[in-house]
Amino acid sequence: MASTKLLIDDVSMRFATPAGAFHALDHIDLAVPRASFVSLIGPSGCGKSTIFNIVAGLEEPSEGRVLIDGVDATGAIGRVGYMLQKDLLLPWRTLTDNIILGMEIKGVKLAEARARALPLLRRYGLAGFENAYPRALSGGMRQRAALLRTLLLDTDVILLDEPFGALDAQTRLRMQEWLLKLWEDFGKTVVFVTHDVEEAIFLSDEVHVMGTRPGRIIATIPVALPRPRLRACTATPDFMALKERCLGLLHIEAPADIEDAA
Amino acid sequence: MPRTSANVVATTPPPGSAPNADGVIAWGAATSSPSPLVGENRGEGSGALAPKVPAGAPPIADPSPRGGREQALPKPARRLPVQKDWPTAAIVAVQIGILVAIIAGWEIGAVAGFIDKFFWSQPSAIYRTLTIFFTTGDALADIAFTFRSTILGFFIGTFAGSALGLSFWWSRNYAAIMQPYIICFESLPKLALAPLIVLVFGIGIASKIAIATALTLVVSTLTTFAGVKAVDPDGEKLFYSLGASRLQVFRKLVIPSCLPWIISVLRVNIGLALTGAIVGEFIASQHGLGRAIIYAGQTYDIALVWVAVSVLSALAVAMYVTVSWIERLLQRGIRG
Ligand SMILES: Nc1ncnc2c1ncn2[C@@H]1O[C@H](COP(=O)(O)OP(=O)(O)O)[C@@H](O)[C@H]1O
Ligand SMILES: [Mg+2]
């Protein structure tokens, strides 16, 4: 539990734009322990997705390195599971064939990949939709499928970029519990991005609060609430105190609300 | 004409957004059953804005300026326009009636002398020529010749064009370099080059195939390229995050995303290929329906012109229907 699985080591990012260099990330340091669940919260545009793009090897940082298991993985693709903000299910594939996309790319035989995916599909709430096409599914179902696709890779680290952002409040709560169950079953290391403070605390072992201009981590808040977590824990004083603290930090960031921040 | 269709296709989104029969049917259904809103208006007169009062409740003085509002409402209220659909049999009957009227009017006009038989011929003469054309002439050879050059030009042009369009995905630099040439070739009136093509490829079938290919190739290239540009960059990100190679992204993402675009031009292309083949035959040929039309025109055999044109139309319709059917089949079967 204590050893570091993913280490973001002094990463900075500057984008070249027509208006000059844009400083998106400023010296990000982040150590994610093995099999833990950590969240990043912060205002829009603070660089959360950019961090994920860098960890997934889709963008080269201007400075710094990404280490997985202590090995330099900067700019390497296919090392982590990455679920982007959209579900990106391929409309011409059935649900099963969408979920095995990662295995297919890694060269697993189609029949074997399907055989591996089917029990999981049934176990995690998609029974009866094995051969359905994505357009026939609800938003929650699509997100489940996209998450399973990410989890079915043999990568230990999973990056989830606002996976429940587009869902209605009720579906969202159910999906959070579903995700926790999955996380406990699979034992992966999860980095989770959200706008929702309550969601971040409910799910995480650690919440990293980010600030903007340039994007940086302004506070790391450990969440010591016991697991397995039930919905009732969101009403405890400990939870409330954590929420207050995160909201306070986010408010300091929002310039219009400086007076409220005390 | 080919130029305009090429332009239209290049900017047309994939078939999902094309107007379809479903929309028409849905409209018919909505109008034939009155909406609840209309029904309510009918029951309460102009009281759509008035609060509902339970049936048994005594009338109460209402301080709101209700009367004034009622007067402001337009009277009589405008209703949803209703259009009644005729049964299919009635539609077909009218369609046949119009056709019969045209043929009968033509025949009567020709016999009575209103219509100059020399220039326009007449239905009975056309029918006689038709039977002669099919019993004694080389009708089937002509049809086969035109059909073959059209189909070959269609396949070569569509395949090569789609492949060319897809190839632009591989390199942005290559695409940027090729772009002006493609646009130039698109805006070129390709039929104006037909005499040159006939000169180069000879008066046999090769020149007809070449013209048909030239017309279809450009449309397929441009439409497929538009499809390539519309591939979701986030989709590519997903594939690469899974560790995919470029070939895997091409095969499993780019080709399936572009297929609807490629398929959407098949119908346009079959018409263009036919045009190309016929124009090739007009210029110089020993076979084909196009040659039959030119030959009949030069010998003032107007009935034969009409026969050849009718057979050509039938061929065009048959190919169009077949391709539309294939199009639907493919659209259903897209799988990466
Ligand atoms: N490729 C890029 N070029 C220029 N600016 C970018 C690029 N990608 C992201 N940015 C900028 O970097 C900032 C952080 O973006 P992002 O990581 O998407 O934020 P978040 O996910 O936290 O909302 C934004 O201001 C965005 O406009
Ligand atoms: Mg983002």
Side-chain angles (χ1 to χ4, degrees), chain B residues 291-305:
Chain B
R291 189 212 60 112
I293 292 171
I294 288 283
Y295 170 79
Q298 280 164 352
T299 56
Y300 300 104
D301 189 350
I302 307 304
L304 186 57
V305 172

Side-chain angles (χ1 to χ4, degrees), chain B:
Chain B
M1 173 275 212
R3 254 200 72 194
T4 2
S5 353
N7 286 337
V8 169
V9 170
T11 51
T12 306
S17 57
N20 58 2
D22 291 358
V24 178
I25 290 163
W27 172 246
T31 48
S32 58
S33 63
S35 79
L37 186 82
V38 176
E40 204 173 303
N41 267 347
R42 213 176 273 148
E44 296 183 35
S46 57
L49 291 173
K52 273 216 178 103
V53 181
I60 45 161
D62 190 347
S64 73
R66 215 179 119 190
R69 209 189 296 170
E70 252 172 19
Q71 265 165 11
L73 276 172
K75 251 182 203 219
R78 182 175 287 166
R79 294 277 165 77
L80 197 61
V82 175
Q83 194 184 343
K84 216 170 153 280
D85 292 326
W86 290 3
T88 315
I91 303 262
V92 172
V94 173
Q95 286 168 338
I96 292 173
I98 291 173
L99 187 66
V100 169
I102 290 175
I103 293 173
W106 187 356
E107 181 72 28
I108 293 166
V111 171
F114 304 130
I115 294 171
D116 191 335
K117 276 186 260 185
F118 181 77
F119 285 118
W120 295 102
S121 188
Q122 70 192 88
S124 55
I126 294 171
Y127 179 74
R128 272 196 305 280
T129 312
L130 185 74
T131 50
I132 295 168
F133 183 66
F134 271 102
T135 47
T136 63
D138 359 277
L140 293 181
D142 280 337
I143 294 172
F145 185 84
T146 304
F147 179 74
R148 210 175 330 137
S149 42
T150 302
I151 291 295
L152 285 173
F154 169 76
F155 274 111
I156 297 171
T158 306
F159 269 100
S162 305
L164 197 60
L166 285 171
S167 74
F168 294 137
W169 177 79
W170 286 90
S171 161
R172 275 192 297 273
N173 296 327
Y174 159 60
I177 290 167
M178 292 302 285
Q179 194 137 352
Y181 293 99
I182 300 285
I183 292 168
C184 187
F185 191 52
E186 188 219 353
S187 47
L188 193 76
K190 285 161 289 290
L191 288 181
L193 284 181
L196 181 66
I197 295 177
V198 173
L199 216 59
V200 172
F201 287 89
I203 63 164
I205 197 166
S207 58
K208 284 80 199 167
I209 297 172
I211 299 170
T213 304
L215 292 188
T216 48
L217 182 98
V218 181
V219 182
S220 273
T221 305
L222 287 172
T223 311
T224 310
F225 188 32
V228 163
K229 283 192 274 196
V231 172
D232 187 356
D234 283 336
E236 289 190 39
K237 262 170 104 173
L238 168 74
F239 270 78
Y240 288 126
S241 82
L242 295 169
S245 66
R246 292 202 80 193
L247 184 64
Q248 282 175 322
V249 177
F250 184 69
R251 278 182 35 211
K252 292 175 198 289
L253 178 70
V254 177
I255 292 182
S257 330
C258 291
L259 263 184
W261 297 74
I262 291 172
I263 292 167
S264 74
V265 296
L266 294 186
R267 253 180 301 169
V268 178
N269 270 359
I270 196 76
L272 287 177
L274 190 61
T275 306
I278 295 293
V279 167
E281 290 170 7
F282 279 179
I283 290 167
S285 186
Q286 290 174 323
H287 309 280
L289 293 166
R291 189 212 60 112
I293 292 171
I294 288 283
Y295 170 79
Q298 280 164 352
T299 56
Y300 300 104
D301 189 350
I302 307 304
L304 186 57
V305 172
W306 284 113
V307 165
V309 168
S310 313
V311 172
L312 192 57
S313 313
L315 181 66
V317 169
M319 289 194 293
Y320 186 87
V321 168
T322 311
V323 168
S324 309
W325 178 72
I326 292 172
E327 212 179 285
R328 244 175 299 134
L329 219 65
L330 287 175
Q331 245 142 22
R332 226 176 299 147
I334 293 173
R335 163 71 174 82

Side-chain angles (χ1 to χ4, degrees), chain A residues 44-45 47-50 85 161-162 193 195:
Chain A
S44 224
K48 305 180 292 288
S49 299
T50 306
Q85 262 166 297
D161 195 351
E162 297 193 42
V193 158
H195 268 115

Side-chain angles (χ1 to χ4, degrees), chain A residues 2-256:
Chain A
S3 71
T4 298
K5 181 75 196 176
L6 168 69
L7 181 67
I8 299 174
D9 180 21
D10 199 26
V11 162
S12 293
M13 187 71 182
R14 275 175 294 276
F15 289 111
T17 63
F22 177 79
H23 200 173
L25 293 176
D26 185 42
H27 298 290
I28 301 287
D29 276 302
L30 188 66
V32 182
R34 186 179 308 278
S36 68
F37 196 124
V38 305
S39 288
L40 298 177
I41 57 172
S44 224
C46 71
K48 305 180 292 288
S49 299
T50 306
I51 293 183
F52 276 9
N53 286 340
I54 290 170
V55 173
L58 300 175
E59 275 172 45
E60 287 279 345
S62 314
E63 282 166 40
R65 300 180 305 160
V66 174
L67 292 101
I68 296 172
D69 290 322
V71 180
D72 194 342
T74 319
I77 61 172
R79 293 297 195 77
V80 298
Y82 182 11
M83 180 174 162
L84 288 100
Q85 262 166 297
K86 293 188 266 175
D87 61 57
L88 295 171
L89 297 176
L90 304 174
W92 54 84
R93 284 178 172 238
T94 62
L95 203 60
T96 310
D97 285 359
N98 261 295
I99 287 172
I100 62 168
L101 182 65
M103 286 195 272
E104 206 180 309
I105 284 170
K106 295 252 156 85
V108 179
K109 291 217 174 59
L110 217 57
E112 192 196 327
R114 285 190 184 132
R116 260 204 259 169
L118 274 177
L120 292 171
L121 227 99
R122 303 212 167 108
R123 179 137 165 246
Y124 294 108
L126 293 168
F129 295 93
E130 296 89 348
N131 296 314
Y133 284 89
R135 63 179 166 273
L137 301 177
S138 68
M141 292 271 192
R142 294 173 63 109
Q143 291 299 357
R144 280 174 200 235
L147 254 163
L148 275 181
R149 177 181 62 199
T150 315
L151 283 167
L152 262 179
L153 302 169
D154 43 11
T155 52
D156 303 329
V157 180
I158 301 292
L159 314 176
L160 305 176
D161 195 351
E162 297 193 42
F164 309 144
L167 302 179
D168 62 87
Q170 242 177 339
T171 312
R172 197 177 175 130
L173 294 185
R174 251 186 297 126
M175 291 293 289
Q176 290 168 5
E177 279 153 31
W178 180 82
L179 175 61
L180 277 185
K181 184 174 142 213
L182 235 77
W183 172 66
E184 277 150 21
D185 290 358
F186 281 79
K188 304 236 177 190
T189 306
V190 177
V191 188
F192 188 91
V193 158
T194 177
H195 268 115
D196 183 340
V197 172
E198 205 168 300
E199 180 171 83
I201 300 169
F202 179 68
L203 295 171
S204 311
D205 299 314
E206 225 171 32
V207 177
H208 301 274
V209 183
M210 290 185 67
T212 187
R213 276 166 210 284
R216 66 206 185 283
I217 293 175
I218 53 175
T220 294
I221 298 171
V223 181
L225 301 170
R227 288 189 192 268
R229 285 185 195 156
L230 302 173
R231 186 53 62 187
C233 86
T234 56
T236 59
D238 286 350
F239 192 96
M240 297 291 190
L242 286 167
K243 193 173 159 186
E244 283 299 303
R245 217 177 129 202
C246 290
L247 287 174
L249 285 161
L250 288 172
H251 270 116
I252 293 170
E253 268 305 303

